[in-house]
Amino acid sequence: MQVDELEECIDLEIVKTEKRRLELFLGILAVAFIMLIANITLFPSTISETFLDTRSINLGAYVTISLFILLLVSRWMVGKIAHCEKPLPMWYKYYSIVIDSVAPFIWLYYIIKWEANGVFLDSPLIFIFVPIIIVSALHLSFWLSFLNGLIIATIYSLITLWTFDNYDTSYMLPSLVYYTKSVMFLIAGVCAGLVANELKNRLTVSIKTQEERDEIESLFSKQVSKEVVQALTESEGATFKVKASVLFLDISSGTFT
């Protein structure tokens, strides 16, 4: 298989993994929205004590719904691309990374601003970035995963700096703790990138192996039985001895030997 053909096969596989990635995030957002509604319904007093400004909880619902719609549109776009058997355009890859990284920070920024409380830097919302970085490995690109971690780390650092400069944070952990979180996000992006490279390498080997098997089957399928072809493909170059009977047919004289 030529290099261009191999890259094309990998690009088509990336389209498939992108579909799975979007479906996974749609499921996560659906669960998050259900949990948000459940908390508002079952624990209204706790919600009112936590969020003094009603805009905060409303924005959470709006951001979740908006991101869900954006991902649905992305899933539709990827489905169209997959149907045409085309690779994902580069602009889409950067678009998806930016949307995944930036959207949760919109809520975090306005919560801190409206509530005038830096404690939301420790919000469970921060955990959403863990699956975002992990699943970025499905892009099968080290640099996209690294960019994902870099964007998240940078924005979290900037919000930390802004929070400690503008609000009373005497009751919070030292700012170094939050900057360390940023570094951990960056490290997670690097790790996801390394996983992405390993997945791509394994996929490349898998495609090459399948191509070699197809060539062997095409070469020998008309001369020998399926069992022999299967033995050849499974031997992976190893030699072995077998007992076999061979029948020669002389068609010109019509005699058997």
Side-chain angles (χ1 to χ4, degrees):
M1 178 179 290
Q2 299 296 325
V3 175
D4 291 342
E5 294 177 348
L6 180 61
E7 289 294 332
E8 183 179 352
C9 288
I10 294 175
D11 287 339
L12 294 178
E13 287 298 321
I14 291 175
V15 176
K16 297 177 183 178
T17 59
E18 176 63 10
K19 290 168 63 177
R20 300 294 176 266
R21 190 186 72 86
L22 291 171
E23 290 166 358
L24 177 61
F25 274 127
L26 286 170
I28 292 174
L29 285 177
V31 172
F33 186 74
I34 292 172
M35 292 177 62
L36 179 62
I37 297 301
N39 286 330
I40 294 173
T41 304
L42 300 176
F43 310 103
S45 58
T46 302
I47 294 297
S48 60
E49 292 173 1
T50 304
F51 301 100
L52 303 179
D53 193 321
T54 56
R55 293 178 297 175
S56 299
I57 195 66
N58 291 337
L59 180 63
Y62 296 150
V63 169
T64 304
I65 294 172
S66 299
L67 185 56
F68 189 86
I69 293 173
L70 283 174
L71 291 182
L72 277 179
V73 173
S74 297
R75 176 62 180 80
W76 175 80
M77 291 170 57
V78 173
K80 286 289 187 180
I81 293 172
H83 182 71
C84 297
E85 296 186 348
K86 295 181 178 180
L88 290 174
M90 186 57 66
W91 68 263
Y92 170 84
K93 295 179 181 180
Y94 288 113
Y95 156 81
S96 63
I97 287 294
V98 171
I99 289 297
D100 294 345
S101 305
V102 174
F105 280 119
I106 296 174
W107 190 11
L108 180 63
Y109 170 79
Y110 280 103
I111 286 178
I112 296 174
K113 181 178 180 179
W114 290 337
E115 302 292 336
N117 194 336
V119 73
F120 290 99
L121 282 174
D122 294 314
S123 168
L125 172 66
I126 303 302
F127 292 118
I128 190 63
F129 294 115
V130 175
I132 286 176
I133 293 175
I134 292 173
V135 180
S136 70
L138 292 178
H139 287 293
L140 301 184
S141 169
F142 172 85
W143 293 109
L144 287 176
S145 294
F146 173 76
L147 178 63
N148 195 192
L150 179 62
I151 292 175
I152 292 173
T154 301
I155 297 178
Y156 189 76
S157 294
L158 292 174
I159 290 181
T160 298
L161 178 62
W162 167 73
T163 300
F164 275 80
D165 283 347
N166 291 277
Y167 302 103
D168 179 19
T169 56
S170 58
Y171 52 89
M172 296 174 57
L173 292 171
S175 60
L176 180 62
V177 174
Y178 301 95
Y179 291 123
T180 302
K181 284 185 181 180
S182 298
V183 175
M184 295 305 297
F185 285 139
L186 181 59
I187 292 174
V190 173
C191 292
L194 294 175
V195 171
N197 266 0
E198 181 64 21
L199 289 174
K200 187 174 182 179
N201 291 337
R202 288 177 180 269
L203 179 60
T204 301
V205 171
S206 177
I207 293 174
K208 287 182 177 179
T209 301
Q210 185 60 47
E211 178 69 14
E212 291 173 357
R213 289 184 177 180
D214 291 342
E215 289 180 358
I216 292 174
E217 290 179 1
S218 176
L219 182 62
F220 292 103
S221 60
K222 296 180 180 180
Q223 284 76 31
V224 297
S225 65
K226 294 181 179 179
E227 290 76 10
V228 174
V229 173
Q230 183 178 0
L232 288 171
T233 56
E234 292 178 353
S235 66
E236 298 181 352
T239 58
F240 53 91
K241 295 181 180 180
V242 295
K243 292 183 178 180
S245 298
V246 180
L247 173 65
F248 295 93
L249 174 61
D250 186 351
I251 300 177
S252 59
S253 62
T255 60
F256 292 93
T257 58

